[in-house]
Amino acid sequence: MSQKFDVVVIGAGPGGYVAAIRAAQLGKKTAIIEKYTGKDGKLALGGTCLNVGCIPSKALLDSSYKFHEAHESFKLHGISTGDVKMDVPTMVGRKDQIVKNLTGGVSALMKANGVTVFEGHGKLLAGKQVEVTKTDGSVEVLAAENVILASGSKPVEIPPAPVDQKVIVDSTGALDFQNVPGKLGVIGAGVIGLELGSVWARLGSQVTVLEAMDKFLAAADEQIAKEAQKILTKQGLDIRLGARVTGTEVKGEQVVVTFSDANGEQQLTFDKLIVAVGRRPVTTNLLAADSGVTMDERGFIFVDDFCATSVPGVYAIGDVVRGAMLAHKASEEGVMVAERIAGHKTQMNYDLIPGVIYTHPEIAWVGKTEQSLKAEGVEINVGVAPFAASGRAMAANETAGFVKVIADAKTDRVLGVHVVGPSAAELVQQGAIAMEFGTSAEDLGMMVFAHPTLSESLHEAALAVNGHAIHVANRKKR
Ligand code: FAD
Ligand code: AMP
């Protein structure tokens, strides 16, 4: 007799493990299946995000930024440090410890919530049965009332740059360099390429980013993207736009990269090359031929607005379905699905998912961009507040960038908040909260913001929408 569960989740990333916890909280008998093993060879829950994504990359970004500050900025404050050195294995070891603590924490949460964990590969069969192939090769079939597919994503590979995890690495390999590459190439100026490029640039690598598109950060607000490009270039990132990589040749410990841009075919030699050209959904051996679950034309599992697949009682969430490949999007979909299984009417607001690039300064946004609103023919008012006018930003030596608030010209409703600058992610989250409650720029402007804070720049930008900014010259006066 197969074990029976109310909910079986395949994949324990931020989508799957959050869904499992919420389902268990709601009284559902829940199981989760995960196959990933960490550096110690043991089962590690938490998915891409905790093991080789959000958290380890932020650990390295924080370490490398501290090094950069000690090296470059402390002297401005009158602090002398002598010769500042970075021990890369210690930095990477600290990152590994954080990963271990967090993934261990997820296991503890499973236990605390009474979620049964199966180690192995999960596959959806017909009739909501789930086959688990365990590490020792044995197979168990579970019966489920509901199944949640949360198998995530993995790096896209491109034929001109095959990953060997030695010289040519993907994002996972780039989290584990044991020394600082002299010359580092990055293919792809997306979120991951810019974050990982920044880590190693701060530690001394000469970084060249090769991006096939002519436009930098095409999804971001154009004004923000332009400023971000200027700031990152000033930091030493050599960002080549319109540069398509067509080939690589590993020569000993180096790699020669061939690419073509407006100047024709060119070659550059690097000590390491990071391939960061996007991620694709993981569906290998996930669905039996007769499972009934369908995919879209790009290989994502097809779901509706509530993450229901083509089979009643089977749901899919996170990176394996349409939409932003972000941990918080995966988790909120997990909560929504668990609650809908329990009979609630939970919905998700897909219009207000914040996006963040954790460079320094950060680049973050929520809602619509100026160019997309103009393309839709929406009349807008825009308010901008530069951090150069913020006392708190000056005190922190963080004056690069600005806050931009976009509001509907007719209703004054805030439609987008975009920030490049210090604590951009936190500021944008304030915008997201306000927007969720349908705020107008005037509402935001009428709120009392603590002084001196970086948040005051959000206040100023909201005031500037209607020409009422106090500390910056208004584009339009009222
Ligand atoms: P995943 O986290 O990919 O988890 C899926 C899990 O399912 C994996 O553990 C996998 O082993 C398991 N699995 C797959 N198939 C099976 C199967 N058949 N049986 C059993 N187990 C299976 N997002 C952010 O929001 N913020 C960030 O700062 C951020 N930084 C990132 C940095 C990097 C370098 C990378 C690579 C990604 C980053 N992301 C970030 C993206 C984020 O990691 C993903 O959006 C998120 O992990 C998606 O969650 P998920 O649960 O859908 O899938
Ligand atoms: P993202 O999907 O945000 O991680 O970004 C990946 C980036 O890689 C995109 O901006 C792509 O244009 C870029 N890219 C994909 N293939 C190539 C290539 N062969 N050469 C250079 N850039 C590429």
Side-chain angles (χ1 to χ4, degrees):
M1 269 294 280
S2 53
Q3 291 195 62
K4 276 192 176 159
F5 291 91
D6 297 323
V7 179
V8 171
V9 184
I10 303 181
Y17 86 73
V18 169
I21 291 174
R22 190 71 190 114
Q25 282 175 349
L26 290 164
K28 300 291 169 192
K29 188 181 175 199
T30 305
I32 193 162
I33 307 164
E34 174 59 66
K35 61 181 172 185
Y36 185 83
T37 49
K39 282 189 173 176
D40 59 3
K42 294 188 184 141
L43 177 69
L45 306 183
T48 303
C49 180
L50 269 60
N51 288 288
V52 290
C54 329
I55 300 297
S57 60
K58 264 80 262 175
L60 297 189
L61 279 158
D62 284 342
S63 293
S64 60
Y65 194 69
K66 283 191 192 303
F67 174 80
H68 168 82
E69 285 223 288
H71 213 251
E72 304 289 331
S73 331
F74 277 14
K75 50 183 177 285
L76 278 174
H77 298 270
I79 306 167
S80 48
T81 51
D83 195 10
V84 181
K85 289 197 183 114
M86 169 56 87
D87 181 66
V88 175
T90 302
M91 175 182 78
V92 171
R94 187 191 84 99
K95 177 263 295 179
D96 289 342
Q97 191 56 48
I98 294 167
V99 169
K100 206 165 176 338
N101 294 349
L102 278 170
T103 57
V106 175
S107 292
L109 282 172
M110 291 301 125
K111 213 168 168 189
N113 284 283
V115 175
T116 307
V117 178
F118 288 90
E119 178 172 0
H121 179 97
K123 180 176 182 176
L124 178 71
L125 309 178
K128 288 186 288 185
Q129 302 225 83
V130 179
E131 178 189 88
V132 188
T133 307
K134 300 185 185 163
T135 339
D136 62 7
S138 63
V139 173
E140 183 172 349
V141 176
L142 312 176
E145 277 297 318
N146 300 277
V147 179
I148 304 177
L149 305 167
S151 51
S153 64
K154 62 178 184 183
V156 167
E157 291 178 30
I158 48 171
V163 167
D164 60 16
Q165 298 296 26
K166 289 191 191 92
V167 184
I168 305 179
V169 301
D170 58 17
S171 58
T172 302
L175 296 169
D176 277 335
F177 291 160
Q178 289 302 304
N179 46 48
V180 180
K183 287 188 178 178
L184 173 66
V186 180
I187 312 181
V191 179
I192 293 173
L194 291 176
E195 289 186 5
L196 295 174
S198 293
V199 165
W200 298 104
R202 290 170 193 168
L203 301 181
S205 290
Q206 193 184 319
V207 177
T208 306
V209 184
L210 302 168
E211 167 56 56
M213 293 197 348
D214 291 321
K215 216 168 169 189
F216 184 64
L217 293 179
D221 183 271
E222 278 170 8
Q223 200 179 349
I224 293 280
K226 211 167 142 200
E227 181 74 4
Q229 188 181 353
K230 208 166 79 189
I231 295 171
L232 296 176
T233 303
K234 210 167 146 201
Q235 288 176 5
L237 289 188
D238 179 5
I239 301 167
R240 312 274 186 101
L241 298 179
R244 177 167 293 279
V245 173
T246 53
T248 52
E249 192 187 345
V250 176
K251 286 188 175 165
E253 306 217 315
Q254 291 191 314
V255 54
V256 180
V257 177
T258 307
F259 63 98
S260 50
D261 64 9
N263 301 321
E265 189 169 284
Q266 303 185 52
Q267 287 192 325
L268 282 171
T269 300
F270 300 111
D271 299 302
K272 298 272 186 203
L273 177 67
I274 304 174
V275 183
V277 294
R279 298 182 60 81
R280 63 184 174 87
V282 171
T283 50
T284 318
N285 200 24
L286 179 70
L287 307 167
D290 58 354
S291 75
V293 170
T294 54
M295 320 267 239
D296 69 19
E297 65 286 351
R298 294 166 60 218
F300 291 90
I301 295 174
F302 177 77
V303 288
D304 67 10
D305 288 350
F306 307 109
C307 293
T309 68
S310 44
V311 177
V314 177
Y315 303 83
I317 59 173
D319 282 8
V320 78
V321 302
R322 83 287 175 262
M325 285 182 152
L326 292 169
H328 40 285
K329 177 257 192 188
S331 296
E332 287 312 312
E333 286 182 334
V335 169
M336 172 174 72
V337 165
E339 294 187 351
R340 292 185 77 85
I341 287 171
H344 301 198
K345 297 273 177 253
T346 313
Q347 303 185 13
M348 231 181 104
N349 185 353
Y350 281 97
D351 292 335
L352 292 184
I353 298 174
V356 183
I357 307 176
Y358 292 86
T359 46
H360 202 105
E362 292 171 350
I363 305 157
W365 63 85
V366 66
K368 299 210 169 167
T369 60
E370 181 169 347
Q371 69 267 19
S372 67
L373 287 163
K374 282 187 173 157
E376 284 174 35
V378 180
E379 272 180 57
I380 54 171
N381 285 327
V382 173
V384 170
F387 286 106
S390 155
R392 191 59 207 264
M394 274 183 227
N397 191 36
E398 297 271 11
T399 52
F402 57 85
V403 178
K404 174 171 179 174
V405 173
I406 307 174
D408 189 301
K410 291 201 183 90
T411 63
D412 197 38
R413 189 180 175 132
V414 176
L415 301 176
V417 174
H418 304 263
V419 183
V420 52
S423 300
E426 310 293 344
L427 298 188
V428 157
Q429 193 60 49
Q430 297 182 25
I433 294 169
M435 287 167 74
E436 184 69 44
F437 293 102
T439 195
S440 64
E442 187 186 24
D443 289 334
L444 261 184
M446 281 165 68
M447 287 190 63
V448 182
F449 281 67
H451 176 75
T453 55
L454 295 169
S455 304
E456 285 173 300
S457 298
L458 176 62
H459 189 216
E460 283 288 315
L463 286 167
V465 166
N466 292 306
H468 300 159
I470 303 291
H471 298 94
V472 290
N474 290 292
R475 280 205 222 163
K476 86 173 169 199
K477 297 202 170 53
R478 286 195 181 167

